[in-house]
Amino acid sequence: MPKVQKFLNGICLAFVVVIFALPFVWMISTSLKTLGETLVFPPQWLPENLVWQNFVDAWNSGPFLKYFLNSVIVAVGILIFQFATVIPAAYAFARYNFPLKNFFFAITMVTLMIPAQLIFLPVFLNLSSWGLLDTLWGLILPFATSAFGIFLLRQTFKQVPEEVIEAARLDNASEWKIMRRIMVPMAKPTLVTFGLFSFITHWNDYFWPLVMTTTDQSRTLPLGIAQLRQVEGGASWNILMAGNMILVIPILIIFFIAQRQIIRAFVYTGVK
């Protein structure tokens, strides 16, 4: 019976993998086809010849280097600001007792339930009054902190034994030193996981850059990819999928680099 159950579990896992992998495989296949091969019916999975020129055509269809650099600056800039605000806030919520602590934490959690599209207009008007429309700062500042990051890191900080912190305080370690030398290293897997989630979210963000930018000077890669569809005679799906591959490849590289830390974060939380 255990062998049958193990076999069925394997079949179910393989089925799930196929469901999630097929769209990605189709994107890779289409990015390497000719335009004619993308239009045939029934569709063919494998291209007859690998057309690497599609990636060159997609990259040269606009200022993609500018889009790419803007995406890097925005995603990394947001992550730096979030780490600078999330770590102290999570440490305070996890280890300090102060008036209205639970109230403020509840307010922080409530912000997770508010869609960004619901509050984008007042944020847009504020940034407009500050002269930050069509600038990279206008793409970074609205996301300078993260309620999800505060919650995730607070849970990790609460799992650090109180004895460790008390021992550091007996050695006259300041709160800043305790946070930087003890809490942050012990929460490294969680920080890497949150950093990956944040980077992917803002690397792929389409709505806010669409609202905030009007010129190529500040546009990001998702907007550049979307413009590949705006061609006469319909979309060139092979070029469009090649552009999507350019968008996805940096995320895949970062994920494979960070996957061990992500697994450690979930295992550590599960064990505790």
PDB file of all heavy atoms in Angstrom, residues 16-37:
ATOM      1  N   VAL A  16       1.114  18.084 -11.870  1.00  0.00           N
ATOM      2  CA  VAL A  16       1.191  19.498 -11.484  1.00  0.00           C
ATOM      3  C   VAL A  16       2.365  20.177 -12.174  1.00  0.00           C
ATOM      4  O   VAL A  16       2.251  21.307 -12.684  1.00  0.00           O
ATOM      5  CB  VAL A  16       1.303  19.634  -9.953  1.00  0.00           C
ATOM      6  CG1 VAL A  16       1.590  21.077  -9.557  1.00  0.00           C
ATOM      7  CG2 VAL A  16       0.036  19.139  -9.276  1.00  0.00           C
ATOM      8  N   VAL A  17       3.512  19.486 -12.226  1.00  0.00           N
ATOM      9  CA  VAL A  17       4.691  20.049 -12.885  1.00  0.00           C
ATOM     10  C   VAL A  17       4.414  20.311 -14.361  1.00  0.00           C
ATOM     11  O   VAL A  17       4.780  21.366 -14.903  1.00  0.00           O
ATOM     12  CB  VAL A  17       5.899  19.103 -12.714  1.00  0.00           C
ATOM     13  CG1 VAL A  17       7.049  19.536 -13.629  1.00  0.00           C
ATOM     14  CG2 VAL A  17       6.361  19.079 -11.268  1.00  0.00           C
ATOM     15  N   VAL A  18       3.744  19.366 -15.015  1.00  0.00           N
ATOM     16  CA  VAL A  18       3.424  19.526 -16.433  1.00  0.00           C
ATOM     17  C   VAL A  18       2.516  20.731 -16.650  1.00  0.00           C
ATOM     18  O   VAL A  18       2.721  21.541 -17.566  1.00  0.00           O
ATOM     19  CB  VAL A  18       2.769  18.248 -16.990  1.00  0.00           C
ATOM     20  CG1 VAL A  18       2.182  18.506 -18.382  1.00  0.00           C
ATOM     21  CG2 VAL A  18       3.787  17.120 -17.066  1.00  0.00           C
ATOM     22  N   ILE A  19       1.503  20.887 -15.795  1.00  0.00           N
ATOM     23  CA  ILE A  19       0.569  22.009 -15.930  1.00  0.00           C
ATOM     24  C   ILE A  19       1.300  23.340 -15.828  1.00  0.00           C
ATOM     25  O   ILE A  19       1.055  24.275 -16.617  1.00  0.00           O
ATOM     26  CB  ILE A  19      -0.539  21.921 -14.859  1.00  0.00           C
ATOM     27  CG1 ILE A  19      -1.473  20.743 -15.165  1.00  0.00           C
ATOM     28  CG2 ILE A  19      -1.336  23.220 -14.793  1.00  0.00           C
ATOM     29  CD1 ILE A  19      -2.539  20.529 -14.114  1.00  0.00           C
ATOM     30  N   PHE A  20       2.225  23.460 -14.857  1.00  0.00           N
ATOM     31  CA  PHE A  20       2.928  24.719 -14.668  1.00  0.00           C
ATOM     32  C   PHE A  20       4.051  24.914 -15.687  1.00  0.00           C
ATOM     33  O   PHE A  20       4.387  26.055 -16.019  1.00  0.00           O
ATOM     34  CB  PHE A  20       3.508  24.786 -13.244  1.00  0.00           C
ATOM     35  CG  PHE A  20       2.498  25.142 -12.206  1.00  0.00           C
ATOM     36  CD1 PHE A  20       1.835  24.163 -11.475  1.00  0.00           C
ATOM     37  CD2 PHE A  20       2.172  26.464 -11.948  1.00  0.00           C
ATOM     38  CE1 PHE A  20       0.890  24.488 -10.519  1.00  0.00           C
ATOM     39  CE2 PHE A  20       1.233  26.808 -10.990  1.00  0.00           C
ATOM     40  CZ  PHE A  20       0.578  25.814 -10.274  1.00  0.00           C
ATOM     41  N   ALA A  21       4.611  23.818 -16.187  1.00  0.00           N
ATOM     42  CA  ALA A  21       5.760  23.932 -17.087  1.00  0.00           C
ATOM     43  C   ALA A  21       5.362  24.158 -18.541  1.00  0.00           C
ATOM     44  O   ALA A  21       6.117  24.779 -19.294  1.00  0.00           O
ATOM     45  CB  ALA A  21       6.629  22.668 -16.984  1.00  0.00           C
ATOM     46  N   LEU A  22       4.199  23.666 -18.944  1.00  0.00           N
ATOM     47  CA  LEU A  22       3.810  23.756 -20.353  1.00  0.00           C
ATOM     48  C   LEU A  22       3.801  25.189 -20.898  1.00  0.00           C
ATOM     49  O   LEU A  22       4.335  25.432 -21.985  1.00  0.00           O
ATOM     50  CB  LEU A  22       2.453  23.089 -20.563  1.00  0.00           C
ATOM     51  CG  LEU A  22       2.466  21.564 -20.723  1.00  0.00           C
ATOM     52  CD1 LEU A  22       1.051  21.035 -20.918  1.00  0.00           C
ATOM     53  CD2 LEU A  22       3.347  21.150 -21.896  1.00  0.00           C
ATOM     54  N   PRO A  23       3.203  26.163 -20.193  1.00  0.00           N
ATOM     55  CA  PRO A  23       3.243  27.534 -20.739  1.00  0.00           C
ATOM     56  C   PRO A  23       4.665  28.061 -20.908  1.00  0.00           C
ATOM     57  O   PRO A  23       4.958  28.764 -21.886  1.00  0.00           O
ATOM     58  CB  PRO A  23       2.464  28.350 -19.687  1.00  0.00           C
ATOM     59  CG  PRO A  23       1.600  27.351 -19.003  1.00  0.00           C
ATOM     60  CD  PRO A  23       2.396  26.084 -18.967  1.00  0.00           C
ATOM     61  N   PHE A  24       5.537  27.721 -19.970  1.00  0.00           N
ATOM     62  CA  PHE A  24       6.921  28.182 -20.065  1.00  0.00           C
ATOM     63  C   PHE A  24       7.633  27.520 -21.241  1.00  0.00           C
ATOM     64  O   PHE A  24       8.377  28.177 -21.986  1.00  0.00           O
ATOM     65  CB  PHE A  24       7.647  27.884 -18.755  1.00  0.00           C
ATOM     66  CG  PHE A  24       9.020  28.476 -18.679  1.00  0.00           C
ATOM     67  CD1 PHE A  24       9.200  29.839 -18.536  1.00  0.00           C
ATOM     68  CD2 PHE A  24      10.142  27.667 -18.750  1.00  0.00           C
ATOM     69  CE1 PHE A  24      10.467  30.391 -18.470  1.00  0.00           C
ATOM     70  CE2 PHE A  24      11.412  28.205 -18.680  1.00  0.00           C
ATOM     71  CZ  PHE A  24      11.568  29.574 -18.539  1.00  0.00           C
ATOM     72  N   VAL A  25       7.398  26.206 -21.410  1.00  0.00           N
ATOM     73  CA  VAL A  25       8.002  25.496 -22.546  1.00  0.00           C
ATOM     74  C   VAL A  25       7.494  26.073 -23.854  1.00  0.00           C
ATOM     75  O   VAL A  25       8.252  26.248 -24.820  1.00  0.00           O
ATOM     76  CB  VAL A  25       7.690  23.985 -22.451  1.00  0.00           C
ATOM     77  CG1 VAL A  25       8.130  23.262 -23.715  1.00  0.00           C
ATOM     78  CG2 VAL A  25       8.359  23.375 -21.229  1.00  0.00           C
ATOM     79  N   TRP A  26       6.187  26.391 -23.898  1.00  0.00           N
ATOM     80  CA  TRP A  26       5.619  26.963 -25.118  1.00  0.00           C
ATOM     81  C   TRP A  26       6.226  28.335 -25.413  1.00  0.00           C
ATOM     82  O   TRP A  26       6.490  28.676 -26.575  1.00  0.00           O
ATOM     83  CB  TRP A  26       4.102  27.071 -24.978  1.00  0.00           C
ATOM     84  CG  TRP A  26       3.426  27.631 -26.193  1.00  0.00           C
ATOM     85  CD1 TRP A  26       2.905  28.873 -26.357  1.00  0.00           C
ATOM     86  CD2 TRP A  26       3.228  26.958 -27.442  1.00  0.00           C
ATOM     87  NE1 TRP A  26       2.379  29.024 -27.610  1.00  0.00           N
ATOM     88  CE2 TRP A  26       2.566  27.861 -28.308  1.00  0.00           C
ATOM     89  CE3 TRP A  26       3.539  25.670 -27.902  1.00  0.00           C
ATOM     90  CZ2 TRP A  26       2.212  27.523 -29.604  1.00  0.00           C
ATOM     91  CZ3 TRP A  26       3.179  25.339 -29.200  1.00  0.00           C
ATOM     92  CH2 TRP A  26       2.532  26.255 -30.033  1.00  0.00           C
ATOM     93  N   MET A  27       6.481  29.136 -24.378  1.00  0.00           N
ATOM     94  CA  MET A  27       7.102  30.444 -24.567  1.00  0.00           C
ATOM     95  C   MET A  27       8.509  30.299 -25.151  1.00  0.00           C
ATOM     96  O   MET A  27       8.875  31.015 -26.089  1.00  0.00           O
ATOM     97  CB  MET A  27       7.149  31.196 -23.243  1.00  0.00           C
ATOM     98  CG  MET A  27       7.789  32.568 -23.344  1.00  0.00           C
ATOM     99  SD  MET A  27       7.731  33.514 -21.798  1.00  0.00           S
ATOM    100  CE  MET A  27       8.844  32.536 -20.787  1.00  0.00           C
ATOM    101  N   ILE A  28       9.280  29.361 -24.598  1.00  0.00           N
ATOM    102  CA  ILE A  28      10.636  29.134 -25.113  1.00  0.00           C
ATOM    103  C   ILE A  28      10.583  28.673 -26.561  1.00  0.00           C
ATOM    104  O   ILE A  28      11.335  29.158 -27.422  1.00  0.00           O
ATOM    105  CB  ILE A  28      11.375  28.101 -24.247  1.00  0.00           C
ATOM    106  CG1 ILE A  28      11.556  28.626 -22.820  1.00  0.00           C
ATOM    107  CG2 ILE A  28      12.738  27.757 -24.854  1.00  0.00           C
ATOM    108  CD1 ILE A  28      12.158  27.608 -21.868  1.00  0.00           C
ATOM    109  N   SER A  29       9.701  27.732 -26.854  1.00  0.00           N
ATOM    110  CA  SER A  29       9.577  27.202 -28.207  1.00  0.00           C
ATOM    111  C   SER A  29       9.180  28.298 -29.195  1.00  0.00           C
ATOM    112  O   SER A  29       9.775  28.425 -30.274  1.00  0.00           O
ATOM    113  CB  SER A  29       8.544  26.072 -28.225  1.00  0.00           C
ATOM    114  OG  SER A  29       8.300  25.629 -29.538  1.00  0.00           O
ATOM    115  N   THR A  30       8.190  29.103 -28.820  1.00  0.00           N
ATOM    116  CA  THR A  30       7.720  30.157 -29.728  1.00  0.00           C
ATOM    117  C   THR A  30       8.785  31.212 -29.956  1.00  0.00           C
ATOM    118  O   THR A  30       8.893  31.773 -31.058  1.00  0.00           O
ATOM    119  CB  THR A  30       6.454  30.817 -29.145  1.00  0.00           C
ATOM    120  OG1 THR A  30       5.466  29.812 -28.901  1.00  0.00           O
ATOM    121  CG2 THR A  30       5.879  31.845 -30.113  1.00  0.00           C
ATOM    122  N   SER A  31       9.596  31.490 -28.941  1.00  0.00           N
ATOM    123  CA  SER A  31      10.639  32.513 -29.077  1.00  0.00           C
ATOM    124  C   SER A  31      11.723  32.094 -30.068  1.00  0.00           C
ATOM    125  O   SER A  31      12.502  32.942 -30.512  1.00  0.00           O
ATOM    126  CB  SER A  31      11.273  32.809 -27.722  1.00  0.00           C
ATOM    127  OG  SER A  31      12.049  31.708 -27.264  1.00  0.00           O
ATOM    128  N   LEU A  32      11.768  30.823 -30.415  1.00  0.00           N
ATOM    129  CA  LEU A  32      12.802  30.314 -31.329  1.00  0.00           C
ATOM    130  C   LEU A  32      12.233  29.901 -32.689  1.00  0.00           C
ATOM    131  O   LEU A  32      12.924  29.264 -33.484  1.00  0.00           O
ATOM    132  CB  LEU A  32      13.522  29.119 -30.692  1.00  0.00           C
ATOM    133  CG  LEU A  32      14.329  29.440 -29.430  1.00  0.00           C
ATOM    134  CD1 LEU A  32      14.803  28.169 -28.753  1.00  0.00           C
ATOM    135  CD2 LEU A  32      15.518  30.337 -29.757  1.00  0.00           C
ATOM    136  N   LYS A  33      10.965  30.267 -32.971  1.00  0.00           N
ATOM    137  CA  LYS A  33      10.327  29.917 -34.237  1.00  0.00           C
ATOM    138  C   LYS A  33      10.354  31.088 -35.214  1.00  0.00           C
ATOM    139  O   LYS A  33      10.591  32.239 -34.832  1.00  0.00           O
ATOM    140  CB  LYS A  33       8.869  29.512 -33.994  1.00  0.00           C
ATOM    141  CG  LYS A  33       8.667  28.228 -33.229  1.00  0.00           C
ATOM    142  CD  LYS A  33       7.181  27.978 -33.017  1.00  0.00           C
ATOM    143  CE  LYS A  33       6.924  26.694 -32.230  1.00  0.00           C
ATOM    144  NZ  LYS A  33       5.484  26.482 -31.977  1.00  0.00           N
ATOM    145  N   THR A  34      10.065  30.781 -36.470  1.00  0.00           N
ATOM    146  CA  THR A  34       9.786  31.830 -37.442  1.00  0.00           C
ATOM    147  C   THR A  34       8.351  32.300 -37.244  1.00  0.00           C
ATOM    148  O   THR A  34       7.542  31.620 -36.597  1.00  0.00           O
ATOM    149  CB  THR A  34       9.968  31.319 -38.873  1.00  0.00           C
ATOM    150  OG1 THR A  34       9.010  30.257 -39.117  1.00  0.00           O
ATOM    151  CG2 THR A  34      11.377  30.773 -39.089  1.00  0.00           C
ATOM    152  N   LEU A  35       8.007  33.449 -37.819  1.00  0.00           N
ATOM    153  CA  LEU A  35       6.645  33.962 -37.676  1.00  0.00           C
ATOM    154  C   LEU A  35       5.643  32.988 -38.282  1.00  0.00           C
ATOM    155  O   LEU A  35       4.558  32.771 -37.737  1.00  0.00           O
ATOM    156  CB  LEU A  35       6.523  35.335 -38.345  1.00  0.00           C
ATOM    157  CG  LEU A  35       5.133  35.971 -38.308  1.00  0.00           C
ATOM    158  CD1 LEU A  35       4.667  36.161 -36.868  1.00  0.00           C
ATOM    159  CD2 LEU A  35       5.130  37.296 -39.058  1.00  0.00           C
ATOM    160  N   GLY A  36       6.006  32.367 -39.414  1.00  0.00           N
ATOM    161  CA  GLY A  36       5.109  31.417 -40.058  1.00  0.00           C
ATOM    162  C   GLY A  36       4.810  30.212 -39.175  1.00  0.00           C
ATOM    163  O   GLY A  36       3.668  29.732 -39.128  1.00  0.00           O
ATOM    164  N   GLU A  37       5.807  29.750 -38.450  1.00  0.00           N
ATOM    165  CA  GLU A  37       5.609  28.583 -37.583  1.00  0.00           C
ATOM    166  C   GLU A  37       4.699  28.900 -36.398  1.00  0.00           C
ATOM    167  O   GLU A  37       4.038  28.008 -35.874  1.00  0.00           O
ATOM    168  CB  GLU A  37       6.965  28.086 -37.077  1.00  0.00           C
ATOM    169  CG  GLU A  37       7.803  27.394 -38.145  1.00  0.00           C
ATOM    170  CD  GLU A  37       9.168  26.984 -37.623  1.00  0.00           C
ATOM    171  OE1 GLU A  37       9.768  27.752 -36.845  1.00  0.00           O
ATOM    172  OE2 GLU A  37       9.644  25.890 -37.985  1.00  0.00           O
TER     173      GLU A  37
END
